[in-house]
Amino acid sequence: MIDLTTIADFSRNNCLGICTFLVPFNLLATLQTLIFIGLNRPTSQILLISAFASLYSGLMVLHVFSWFMIGVVMSPTYILLSLGTTCLVINIWAIKFPDNLKYFIEKIVSLAQKILGKFQNLAFN
């Protein structure tokens, strides 16, 4: 039988190592999901990378909950919880509605291109 207390203690005792691993992997895997959606990669590849990214973000949320269980309520816990939850939502969005997410990414990219174009015009005038 799995002892959740032991797992939570391990999570808290190795917080620095866990966060050092999870934060960049979470961000990179979620970014890779967005890139795969934007590049029209096959659905199987999107599902695979989204599943791994969801695993990283889910582990981060569980890690933060282990701190909440003992009453640690500080800004890093909320920041990590927000990061993990945001990445988890993006990855679930990529799994459930990839076409909707692709449309959203296209709109963001076109808006960024318009803004950068205006800055380039200002710089050369």
Side-chain angles (χ1 to χ4, degrees), residues 20-39:
T20 302
F21 169 78
L22 281 180
V23 171
F25 273 74
N26 193 6
L27 291 172
L28 290 174
T30 302
L31 179 64
Q32 189 173 4
T33 299
L34 294 174
I35 290 171
F36 276 23
I37 292 280
L39 294 176

Side-chain angles (χ1 to χ4, degrees), residues 68-121:
F68 284 149
M69 284 179 4
I70 62 167
V72 175
V73 180
M74 297 173 18
S75 59
T77 54
Y78 287 114
I79 292 168
L80 290 174
L81 182 63
S82 300
L83 174 68
T85 304
T86 301
C87 290
L88 188 60
V89 166
I90 290 171
N91 289 308
I92 291 172
W93 188 8
I95 292 170
K96 297 288 268 182
F97 307 107
D99 295 331
N100 189 342
L101 183 58
K102 180 172 175 34
Y103 176 77
F104 183 74
I105 292 170
E106 288 172 351
K107 289 296 179 184
I108 295 291
V109 168
S110 68
L111 179 65
Q113 288 173 341
K114 287 180 187 177
I115 291 171
L116 288 175
K118 288 182 182 180
F119 282 127
Q120 285 176 345
N121 290 338

Side-chain angles (χ1 to χ4, degrees), residues 13-77:
N13 291 333
N14 297 297
C15 182
L16 185 62
I18 290 171
C19 288
T20 302
F21 169 78
L22 281 180
V23 171
F25 273 74
N26 193 6
L27 291 172
L28 290 174
T30 302
L31 179 64
Q32 189 173 4
T33 299
L34 294 174
I35 290 171
F36 276 23
I37 292 280
L39 294 176
N40 284 331
R41 302 299 295 177
T43 305
S44 61
Q45 291 180 356
I46 293 171
L47 288 176
L48 182 65
I49 190 61
S50 296
F52 278 112
S54 297
L55 175 72
Y56 297 139
S57 55
L59 286 174
M60 181 177 290
V61 170
L62 290 175
H63 173 65
V64 171
F65 283 156
S66 76
W67 283 104
F68 284 149
M69 284 179 4
I70 62 167
V72 175
V73 180
M74 297 173 18
S75 59
T77 54

